[in-house]
Amino acid sequence: GARLRSLPELARLYGPGGAGGGCGAAGRLELLERTLEVAARCTFSLDELRYSYPDEGDRARLEQLVREGAARRWPGGVPEKVGRLLAHELQLIGELRYEPYFLTVHELVAFARSRGILCQGRGSAANSAVCYCLGVTSVDPDRFDVLFERFVSKDRDEPPDIDVDFEHERREEVLQHLWERHGRDRCAMTATVITFRGRSAVRDVGKALGLSQDQVERLAGALHHWSEIEWPDQELAQAGFDPADANVQRVLRLARELHGFPRHLSQHVGGMVMTAGRLDELCPIENAAMAGRTVLEWDKDDLDALKILKVDCLALGMLAAVRRCFALIEQVHGTRLDLASIPADDPATWAMIQRADTIGVFQIESRAQMAMLPRLRPRCFYDLVIEVAIVRPGPIQGGMVHPYLRRRAGLERVEYPSAAVRGVLEKTLGVPIFQEQAMKLAVVAAGFTPGEADLLRRAMGAWRRPGLIATFEQKLIDGMLARGYRREFAQCVFEQLKGFGEYGFPESHAASFALITWVSAWLKRHHPAALTCSLLNSQPMGFYEPAQLVRDVRAHGVEVRPVDVGASEWECTLEGGGGSTGSGGAGGAASAGG
């Protein structure tokens, strides 16, 4: 088969008596030796790569946009707290020369809004007052404690990473705009490396070692958890295998060795890289399956290591439904709404949330969330942030849910071992619910440097590799013991942080989602017909089937009329009063589309 030959093999092949020898064989050997000289001169290191941001403007342009945005956000004057945040952020952005990044994302969001595409930044970007003024995010830094260093930090020395959600049906318009603006030679989607997990490793090894398709599926199906490759002999026997079978044991052994290894390269769901120069001079690229698309062969970690700008253009179905709902309300009632203009407080909406009347509401409509709502009883925006984050595998596995609920109900005293820990955990009653709190706790209680705390954050974020968090156990516990904390407290903190290895939420991410949660809840309470109509027109999405959404809105007093070939539009529409409420019950009607 084709392969690279070693130098001794080439010498035998082209030397005297070799198949490629003959006249001038000695000269050919000299040529082989010269290739080593050429190779020695060809040096390259990834450190030599220099990424350049697209040219979207300079610091003066960014400051101007921030001033204009701040004036729109706060017509009566920028709050003093926000003014300090903006000055601090702009100074740090200038020191790190990140102005082109923020301007690039601003241009992207401005384009979407010019097309009437609803969008909102989330993730760590919600920690930025600059992003709020640019219209990239919607979480008000005056109402919410933000941690800009969670987003941009000199200690991390890596570019910021902004995630922007767009309507799921119109995200492609945004992606095509990027290709048109920057060109296919300067813009591409990022890759993601798919690694072997428990079942995929068992399936591939089993096929390679001659197990039948039925045997492979039974063996893979017997796994309790997708990340583990362990079966007790009894369970192997129940699956129809002989635990003593050498071939079966070989499959298991090789599958364990393969676990975590790269399997194939895939396309990231929405990561986009834009450069000032040609992409093919910076990194390897390939054509995507879809015509006109280009994919980098590097994933997020590779891009971070080389400080390459990436913007995640993600799709969110609820944004499409909310935008449709705003349009219906304006059409029927003449009232123009947007994410920022929904009232920040409304007793009727809080009462609806507290009784778990949340079918169709973003993030809190699942059965698990509905079970939690009457217990947590959210009554302010920050309660909703906690509600969004607490019903997740991380807080549940870390044993954080019940202590928080007991303390919230006054059934358990809230005590802090030090003022520093109190400063980190007071707003969540002494229980670390968010990743940012875990980072701060590692610094103030265990003596981590900011860089080490960021490594801990990465381990918590790698929820598909939960074992990573265990590598910090000794350092965390030793650090807390050295600073006078009791071993019981140190061990409890580690067990809670270990829960984040099973998927926990950053606070800023939860805040961005909580805003859409509140908007969709307010719409359900005051415009149930319009919201349901919009949800039906945005399918497939959400937790419930269309029939369940229809049944729920009927229970709220809205008439739902059937499809009529002579009257129905292509999509569901509103008739009569539009199904809006003041303080009373729902009125109007929703008409099914054809």
Side-chain angles (χ1 to χ4, degrees):
R3 61 188 175 86
L4 291 174
R5 295 185 177 93
S6 66
L7 195 63
E9 287 180 285
L10 289 170
R12 286 195 301 272
L13 183 64
Y14 289 102
C23 183
R28 294 191 181 195
L29 283 175
E30 184 183 353
L31 290 177
L32 290 176
E33 292 171 0
R34 291 297 297 275
T35 62
L36 297 179
E37 290 182 37
V38 174
R41 294 180 185 179
C42 295
T43 59
F44 171 73
S45 168
L46 289 174
D47 294 334
E48 297 174 28
L49 292 178
R50 288 293 176 266
Y51 170 78
S52 297
Y53 292 99
D55 184 13
E56 295 287 355
D58 55 12
R59 182 168 186 171
R61 169 70 174 155
L62 178 63
E63 291 179 348
Q64 176 191 349
L65 288 172
V66 169
R67 284 195 300 271
E68 293 172 357
R72 284 193 301 272
R73 294 291 197 184
W74 297 282
V78 178
E80 182 180 346
K81 169 189 171 184
V82 176
R84 290 195 304 270
L85 285 172
L86 290 174
H88 168 65
E89 291 183 22
L90 287 170
Q91 179 183 352
L92 190 54
I93 290 168
E95 288 177 14
L96 298 173
R97 298 193 295 277
Y98 285 157
E99 294 94 344
Y101 180 79
F102 286 84
L103 290 168
T104 298
V105 178
H106 169 265
E107 190 282 327
L108 180 66
V109 170
F111 164 78
R113 297 218 165 98
S114 72
R115 293 289 185 90
I117 302 172
L118 201 59
C119 61
Q120 176 188 256
R122 62 172 165 93
S124 60
N127 278 302
S128 168
V130 166
C131 283
Y132 182 68
C133 291
L134 292 176
V136 173
T137 58
S138 302
V139 177
D140 187 344
D142 191 39
R143 294 173 50 206
F144 190 73
D145 291 329
V146 296
L147 176 66
F148 187 63
E149 280 69 14
R150 169 67 179 82
F151 177 43
V152 173
S153 170
K154 284 193 288 188
D155 293 314
R156 276 206 305 275
D157 190 28
E158 66 183 35
D161 186 6
I162 294 182
D163 299 341
V164 185
D165 287 317
F166 298 92
E167 297 176 36
H168 68 304
E169 296 170 340
R170 303 188 65 188
R171 183 185 67 144
E172 188 61 29
E173 294 178 44
V174 178
L175 299 184
Q176 291 302 326
H177 165 72
L178 289 177
W179 271 297
E180 290 169 9
R181 182 177 180 83
H182 298 281
R184 205 177 155 201
D185 58 340
R186 296 188 297 124
C187 178
M189 300 195 80
T190 64
T192 182
V193 178
I194 306 300
T195 56
F196 281 99
R197 300 299 168 196
R199 287 174 182 164
S200 61
V202 168
R203 286 190 176 103
D204 282 15
V205 172
K207 291 174 187 175
L209 295 185
L211 268 61
S212 68
Q213 184 68 33
D214 175 64
Q215 288 176 310
V216 167
E217 291 304 322
R218 281 191 285 118
L219 195 58
L223 278 174
H224 287 294
H225 195 276
W226 53 265
S227 67
E228 298 173 355
I229 306 177
E230 297 293 341
W231 295 268
D233 288 350
Q234 181 182 356
E235 294 186 13
L236 276 176
Q238 288 175 349
F241 296 95
D242 179 2
D245 187 316
N247 198 40
V248 170
Q249 290 301 324
R250 190 181 177 203
V251 169
L252 305 188
R253 177 175 58 79
L254 291 175
R256 291 188 193 103
E257 290 183 18
L258 202 58
H259 188 268
F261 272 65
R263 186 176 189 273
H264 64 274
L265 202 63
S266 183
Q267 184 175 298
H268 191 275
V269 291
M272 299 291 294
V273 166
M274 290 147 278
T275 60
R278 290 181 60 89
L279 272 172
D280 56 5
E281 296 176 352
L282 182 69
C283 52
I285 60 176
E286 63 182 27
N287 289 329
M290 182 182 290
R293 286 194 178 193
T294 306
V295 180
L296 303 181
E297 295 181 12
W298 289 347
D299 67 3
K300 178 185 183 299
D301 292 338
D302 301 325
L303 298 172
D304 286 347
L306 293 169
K307 301 179 178 58
I308 294 176
L309 174 152
K310 178 174 73 71
V311 180
D312 281 349
C313 301
L314 306 173
L316 192 63
M318 181 53 76
L319 286 178
V322 168
R323 192 261 306 161
R324 282 190 167 100
C325 191
F326 288 162
L328 283 171
I329 292 168
E330 183 175 6
Q331 174 187 329
V332 175
H333 303 286
T335 304
R336 178 170 292 185
L337 297 171
D338 58 34
L339 292 177
S341 65
I342 296 295
D345 191 28
D346 179 59
T349 303
W350 288 122
M352 182 191 78
I353 291 172
Q354 289 168 9
R355 63 177 180 267
D357 181 9
T358 54
I359 289 178
V361 177
F362 182 65
Q363 286 289 303
I364 57 171
E365 63 175 351
S366 72
R367 291 177 182 85
Q369 288 282 4
M370 283 184 172
M372 180 65 69
L373 288 169
R375 302 171 67 192
L376 197 145
R377 295 184 62 77
R379 50 184 177 267
C380 66
F381 181 73
Y382 197 75
D383 287 350
L384 210 53
V385 176
I386 291 174
E387 174 71 39
V388 165
I390 203 169
V391 186
R392 306 284 165 181
I396 293 169
Q397 294 291 331
M400 306 167 201
V401 177
H402 293 299
Y404 177 81
L405 291 174
R406 286 196 299 269
R407 294 173 187 189
R408 186 176 174 87
L411 302 176
E412 181 178 301
R413 288 186 61 189
V414 183
E415 297 179 340
Y416 305 95
S418 71
V421 171
R422 183 190 189 101
V424 175
L425 299 180
E426 186 170 22
K427 59 186 177 182
T428 53
L429 306 181
V431 180
I433 291 174
F434 304 108
Q435 285 186 1
E436 289 92 338
Q437 290 177 302
M439 291 172 65
K440 291 180 183 177
L441 204 57
V443 172
V444 305
F448 276 43
T449 66
E452 290 169 334
D454 190 61
L455 291 175
L456 176 64
R457 174 190 66 84
R458 290 174 182 273
M460 290 187 295
W463 58 276
R464 288 185 179 274
R465 299 167 63 193
L468 279 182
I469 198 82
T471 60
F472 291 89
E473 179 174 10
Q474 201 60 47
K475 183 173 180 60
L476 272 165
I477 291 177
D478 288 349
M480 284 186 273
L481 292 178
R483 284 158 183 77
Y485 295 99
R486 292 182 296 111
R487 179 172 290 277
E488 293 81 4
F489 172 76
Q491 193 64 49
C492 176
V493 167
F494 173 73
E495 291 301 321
Q496 289 175 327
L497 300 192
K498 191 166 70 172
F500 283 108
E502 292 288 345
Y503 192 66
F505 252 32
E507 183 176 13
S508 52
H509 185 90
S512 297
F513 270 9
L515 180 65
I516 305 176
T517 299
W518 172 252
V519 168
S520 58
W522 187 90
L523 290 171
K524 178 180 174 69
R525 175 62 184 84
H526 295 281
H527 300 276
L531 179 65
T532 304
C533 193
S534 301
L535 289 170
L536 293 172
N537 290 336
S538 302
Q539 294 296 313
M541 59 158 285
F543 196 81
Y544 294 96
E545 295 294 326
Q548 294 170 293
L549 295 173
V550 168
R551 187 161 56 246
D552 176 72
V553 79
R554 278 177 168 154
H556 286 78
V558 175
E559 179 187 352
V560 181
R561 294 172 182 162
V563 175
D564 186 321
V565 71
S568 294
E569 302 290 339
W570 177 259
E571 292 190 328
C572 298
T573 56
L574 293 181
E575 297 179 2
S580 300
T581 68
S583 57
S591 172

